[in-house]
Amino acid sequence: MKQKMIAALVLSAACTSAAFAAPRGDEPIQPLAAPEVKSPLLVELGKKLFFDPRLSRSGAISCNFCHNLSMGGSDNLKTSIGHNWQQGPINSPTVLNSSLAIAQFWDGRAADLKAQAGGPIANPIEMASSHDVAVGVLRSIPGYVAEFKKVYGSEGIDIERITGAIAAFEETLVTPDSRFDRWLKGDDKALNAREQAGYVLFRDSGCVACHNGPAAGGTSFQKMGLVEPYVTANPATGRAGVTGDDTDRFNFKVPTLRNVELTYPYFHDGEAATLEQAVTIMGRLQLGRNFTEKETADIVAFLKTLTGKQPVFELPHLPPSVNGTPKPQPFSKQ
Amino acid sequence: MKQKMIAALVLSAACTSAAFAAPRGDEPIQPLAAPEVKSPLLVELGKKLFFDPRLSRSGAISCNFCHNLSMGGSDNLKTSIGHNWQQGPINSPTVLNSSLAIAQFWDGRAADLKAQAGGPIANPIEMASSHDVAVGVLRSIPGYVAEFKKVYGSEGIDIERITGAIAAFEETLVTPDSRFDRWLKGDDKALNAREQAGYVLFRDSGCVACHNGPAAGGTSFQKMGLVEPYVTANPATGRAGVTGDDTDRFNFKVPTLRNVELTYPYFHDGEAATLEQAVTIMGRLQLGRNFTEKETADIVAFLKTLTGKQPVFELPHLPPSVNGTPKPQPFSKQ
């Protein structure tokens, strides 16, 4: 009873302080909610698979190789390194908060994380395995056989179960509690004056037309180079490759700006090395606006407040292969 | 007082049960002691560096790429994949319990873990960077600058401090509490009859002449192919490359057998895919003995009891690069 009274007093004091004003409910970007873990066992299995390089032909490339959870869920390269050191065609998007996107891949060719997860495994310039081989590898490993059974309630490993578990893990990779989120929730002191000015400029210049929602992006496909064409040597055509409609040419999924301080370099071709470059180019090409150096610096200061709490978990230990497990083929010719 | 009495009673009961008989003090393999962490901050820094691919030229290869702590501290490949998918010359030894070895690398060319850690960073077929470049990268990253200062008590990042931190982390990668250790400590039920028979055969056949000490190996250099020559296409000459003495030809550091179930494939060339093959070949080449199938199976059963408690820690989050950080060069020509 006494504890309740003290709690009520503390709460009351907090609510009247400047640091806990009313939440800002009418902003185009909303706070990220902490992920809800529906099935911890499924997530745990998915985590193992996410870190398991045996899903690749070489035995060396795991999901985490390009979506490194030590580095903002990205590889911080312009384009990724795939099997046999092949150069990937496009910048690896962060896996963080990817569950909030309308679709997966830059061109949205996968409807959801489960559909996405099967792609790189079988892509000859990424993990370069096949679904059959990957399933065969996991089926040979007693530790996985037991864990899939425990998680799914029946015997069996197939690509549906594999990608379902990976997607369940990825759904937990949400990064709440950034300074910007605390500010959105009413903590005025969470952002300094420059950061607040940067946000107001970001919002009122129209950046939020595309970078909106809890992920500050990921809610729509938009043309890269709306006002002025984007010049790049990268051959990716974006949405047109999926729809076959030439008017979709250079339409890409708007990337999330959450944790953007960690997910350099920027754009689908990775050609913007810094946030300053990215902001300058976006302002000119998408909004027809030449941000001054100070304006750019303000927006960049705001963008850095979008770095949230990174997923915290123990590095998984993978069940070992056994004598019958198909061998990795790092150096054999295709 | 009452609690103390209960504790004493429980302890007394435990000590008289069969499961807690006297420790086996006169065996050639001794239990692994849990690692003592002298400087948690130094270890934490070393963990970050161990997982940081920016120590490589490509920005993609970390220490953990070849010494994967999800997979027994090894990459489970015959020989490793290095920069530009170059094929390594030798099997990556596990980093687990490596602090217990008399020297590092198969040929012992590094005196200790600190000396070892600088090798792969600058090796053109491994991480393919240089100490200067790696130091420059870390010096450009404010998060590292602050952490090195906090850990070492003064400003400054150099290769000595980098490798010192990595070595401090690696020293914690000890795997105590295997079933064999529990048996050594007096728990008779920790091994079944076959595993005990396998150990007795392993010991009394002479395997322990080389595989002894707490790490069941790592205490000496020995000739691979003592009784009968080892035939391999692998050009590694072992200790002779370090000493220049031709009598050291094919002398390699005896690998630890701790966690050997996880560190397949075996031998310096990775050509033994299974424990059965490794035991059969070792018996013939080193001891002049043809183990029967049952004997081999018994020894393998024993070897699998050497899997200890794997290091448990949270995946580190790396401090981000900034605009001035030298860029990774994954695809540029040397």
Side-chain angles (χ1 to χ4, degrees), chain A residues 11-148:
Chain A
L11 193 64
S12 149
C15 287
T16 57
S17 85
F20 287 84
R24 294 172 172 85
D26 53 354
E27 297 295 338
I29 300 173
Q30 293 85 41
L32 279 178
E36 196 189 330
V37 177
K38 290 168 213 146
S39 171
L41 289 180
L42 182 63
V43 168
E44 203 51 43
L45 172 59
K47 184 190 303 169
K48 288 192 179 126
L49 296 169
F50 189 88
F51 278 87
D52 200 326
R54 290 170 294 187
L55 292 178
S56 70
R57 178 177 169 85
S58 63
I61 298 180
S62 67
C63 303
N64 194 65
F65 186 65
C66 296
H67 303 287
N68 192 329
L69 292 167
S70 294
M71 309 197 303
S74 69
D75 58 10
N76 295 143
L77 302 177
K78 285 186 184 183
T79 62
S80 297
I81 300 168
H83 183 77
N84 205 22
W85 213 265
Q86 291 173 92
Q87 184 166 4
I90 209 156
N91 182 260
S92 285
T94 177
V95 70
L96 298 177
N97 306 301
S98 55
S99 58
L100 302 174
I102 46 162
Q104 300 301 320
F105 295 116
W106 280 95
D107 58 9
R109 67 183 181 275
D112 54 27
L113 287 172
K114 185 168 179 295
Q116 190 280 334
I121 293 172
N123 188 327
I125 65 167
E126 297 188 35
M127 295 163 84
S129 185
S130 70
H131 291 177
D132 280 354
V133 170
V135 167
V137 166
L138 298 189
R139 280 183 184 164
S140 76
I141 297 170
Y144 273 129
V145 170
E147 191 162 344
F148 273 84

Side-chain angles (χ1 to χ4, degrees), chain B residues 1-13:
Chain B
M1 191 64 176
K2 197 173 164 190
Q3 276 183 328
K4 272 194 189 169
M5 281 175 62
I6 291 170
L9 283 169
V10 169
L11 193 65
S12 149

Side-chain angles (χ1 to χ4, degrees), chain B residues 243-258:
Chain B
T243 62
D245 184 345
D246 201 54
T247 60
D248 283 334
R249 196 175 157 76
F250 262 37
N251 272 4
F252 291 98
K253 188 180 64 182
V254 176
T256 174
L257 296 182
R258 292 283 179 179

Side-chain angles (χ1 to χ4, degrees), chain A residues 214-227:
Chain A
T219 56
S220 64
F221 297 96
Q222 299 290 343
K223 181 159 177 174
M224 173 78 164
L226 198 62
V227 176

Side-chain angles (χ1 to χ4, degrees), chain A residues 54 58 60 65 69-70 77 80 84-85 87 264 274 276 310-318 321 323 330-331, chain B residues 54 58 60 65 69-70 77 80 84-85 87 264 274 276 310-318 321 323 330-331:
Chain A
R54 290 170 294 187
S58 63
F65 186 65
L69 292 167
S70 294
L77 302 177
S80 297
N84 205 22
W85 213 265
Q87 184 166 4
Y264 52 88
T274 69
E276 287 77 6
Q310 300 298 295
V312 172
F313 57 85
E314 285 170 4
L315 185 77
H317 299 132
L318 306 179
S321 296
N323 293 359
F331 301 110
Chain B
R54 290 170 295 188
S58 64
F65 186 64
L69 292 168
S70 295
L77 301 176
S80 297
N84 206 21
W85 214 264
Q87 183 165 5
Y264 51 91
T274 69
E276 286 78 5
Q310 300 298 294
V312 172
F313 57 85
E314 286 170 4
L315 185 77
H317 298 132
L318 305 180
S321 296
N323 293 359
F331 300 110

